[in-house]
Amino acid sequence: MVSNNAGLAKTVAKINMNFNQKILKTQQEKNSLLCIGLDSDVNRIPEFLKKSKNPQLEFNSLIIQATKDLVCAYKLNLAFYEETGNDGMQALEKTLELIPEEVIKIADGKRGDIGNTAQKQADTLFKHFNFDAATVNPYMGFDAIEPFINYSEKGIFILCITSNPGSEDFQHLSFSGKPLFEHVALKAKKWNTKNNIGLVAGATHIGELKKLRTLLPEMPFLIPGIGVQKGDLEKTIKYGCSTDGYNAIINVGRSIIFPAETKNFQENIRKSAEKYSTEINSYRNKYYK
Ligand code: OMP
């Protein structure tokens, strides 16, 4: 009886948590900041999976089996599933069912639109697919992302400083004494009344990441750009975590999911995920313990 009550209390506590508390709890329980990007490009799926009924789903299933104990999150970039039509939508739905409940499921669609459209985007990702979080684009302003924020138990990652070269075009433009990405960060802080907002900050912009951490010491940052995009992992951890060494969600996609050698596919994927996870934790120990 006692253990049943304790179990119930734990479940109720989890239900009552807001998203930013949830992500922290998952990272603490799993001792992991690693997020694997399931950007399952149908053209790069290994030959031995191409004959299966739904190659993307099979591919994801093998990756999840091999890595689910090592990650705090998986991020699925929707473009890779939209490309394959009905099969892609089915792969998305079924992949989400394969991910353990405690692991955070992030929809990366960089959404945001006029209010009634944004509402549909949020309902699709949070109600239909049951993702835990989504990336959104702040360019259209508050009402374009408000429907996402209103799902208070879900997470919203607002693009702030992106990892790509084109981030220079607008995000660094200065007005009222600050670059645009800092204005975005300050708005995110103001809008974070439900404690479910985070920022996207690319690992290829360390100076900006450092600045963002001083502005928002505890906010979760989704940090892509490690691996193929050549972000500096050590500096990302040094400057990207909250004071206790958490709240950075380090996304690695292609460098993990497409190993050079597909012969021992799951073994290779796991080795690579372990390598990233170990390296991340060694820098956390160096800078935060
Ligand atoms: P890899 O370069 O393969 O690790 O994948 C990076 C993933 O992060 C892709 O899904 C990108 O769309 C996404 N991403 C960036 O690369 N840069 C950004 O600034 C923002 C994102 C994102 O929002 O996740």
Side-chain angles (χ1 to χ4, degrees), residues 67-85:
T67 60
K68 62 188 172 193
D69 57 318
L70 300 173
V71 299
C72 67
Y74 290 102
K75 180 168 78 68
L76 289 84
N77 188 308
L78 303 180
F80 295 93
Y81 301 91
E82 288 161 350
E83 186 197 6
T84 49

Side-chain angles (χ1 to χ4, degrees), residues 37-39 44 75-78 80 106-110 135-136 157-164 167 171 200-205 222-230 251-258:
L38 293 174
D39 294 353
R44 296 191 63 184
K75 180 168 78 68
L76 289 84
N77 188 308
L78 303 180
F80 295 93
I106 306 172
D108 181 12
K110 301 180 177 65
T135 58
V136 299
F157 289 98
I158 299 179
L159 296 181
C160 187
I161 184 79
T162 59
S163 63
N164 57 321
S167 65
Q171 295 164 23
V200 177
T204 50
H205 295 291
L222 172 61
I223 310 184
I226 296 296
V228 174
Q229 296 182 61
K230 297 195 166 58
N251 182 80
V252 185
R254 288 165 290 178
S255 303
I256 290 181
I257 69 171
F258 298 120

Side-chain angles (χ1 to χ4, degrees), residues 16-222:
N16 288 335
M17 265 183 208
N18 56 55
F19 179 77
N20 291 0
Q21 289 170 324
K22 257 189 222 166
I23 186 84
L24 177 61
K25 189 166 191 295
T26 301
Q27 291 192 327
Q28 286 170 337
E29 284 178 359
K30 303 199 76 181
N31 191 30
S32 174
L33 308 189
L34 180 65
C35 168
I36 295 184
L38 293 174
D39 294 353
S40 305
D41 183 344
V42 75
N43 300 320
R44 296 191 63 184
I45 285 179
E47 236 11 81
F48 78 93
L49 288 172
K50 290 221 165 118
K51 287 210 178 82
S52 52
K53 198 162 164 253
N54 189 325
Q56 277 180 311
L57 176 59
E58 222 26 67
F59 178 73
N60 289 351
S61 168
L62 293 180
I63 296 171
I64 293 164
Q65 276 170 28
T67 60
K68 62 188 172 193
D69 57 318
L70 300 173
V71 299
C72 67
Y74 290 102
K75 180 168 78 68
L76 289 84
N77 188 308
L78 303 180
F80 295 93
Y81 301 91
E82 288 161 350
E83 186 197 6
T84 49
N86 289 340
D87 287 349
M89 290 306 108
Q90 199 190 46
L92 258 189
E93 285 177 356
K94 299 250 184 272
T95 297
L96 293 172
E97 288 169 14
L98 299 174
I99 299 175
E101 210 218 314
E102 71 280 8
V103 175
I104 305 290
K105 299 170 267 296
I106 306 172
D108 181 12
K110 301 180 177 65
R111 299 296 201 236
D113 204 330
I114 62 164
N116 73 322
T117 308
Q119 186 64 56
K120 288 293 167 199
Q121 295 175 336
D123 293 347
T124 300
L125 297 180
F126 292 153
K127 252 201 222 153
H128 176 77
F129 285 105
N130 199 24
F131 276 104
D132 298 307
T135 58
V136 299
N137 189 329
Y139 194 71
M140 290 176 71
F142 182 68
D143 57 306
I145 59 174
E146 190 182 13
F148 289 85
I149 298 171
N150 285 342
Y151 277 90
S152 53
E153 77 286 9
K154 305 286 187 177
I156 292 91
F157 289 98
I158 299 179
L159 296 181
C160 187
I161 184 79
T162 59
S163 63
N164 57 321
S167 65
E168 301 287 337
D169 290 343
F170 301 118
Q171 295 164 23
H172 285 94
L173 293 182
S174 194
F175 63 100
S176 305
K178 283 190 279 289
L180 178 58
F181 76 87
E182 275 187 53
H183 287 280
V184 171
L186 295 174
K187 285 288 190 203
K189 185 179 182 179
K190 192 170 151 216
W191 297 338
N192 191 24
T193 54
K194 300 180 199 296
N195 203 26
N196 64 343
I197 291 183
L199 293 181
V200 177
T204 50
H205 295 291
I206 295 298
E208 290 80 354
L209 181 63
K210 192 175 170 185
K211 175 75 194 183
L212 290 172
R213 256 304 162 226
T214 60
L215 292 175
L216 297 160
E218 300 301 324
M219 187 175 265
F221 289 175
L222 172 61

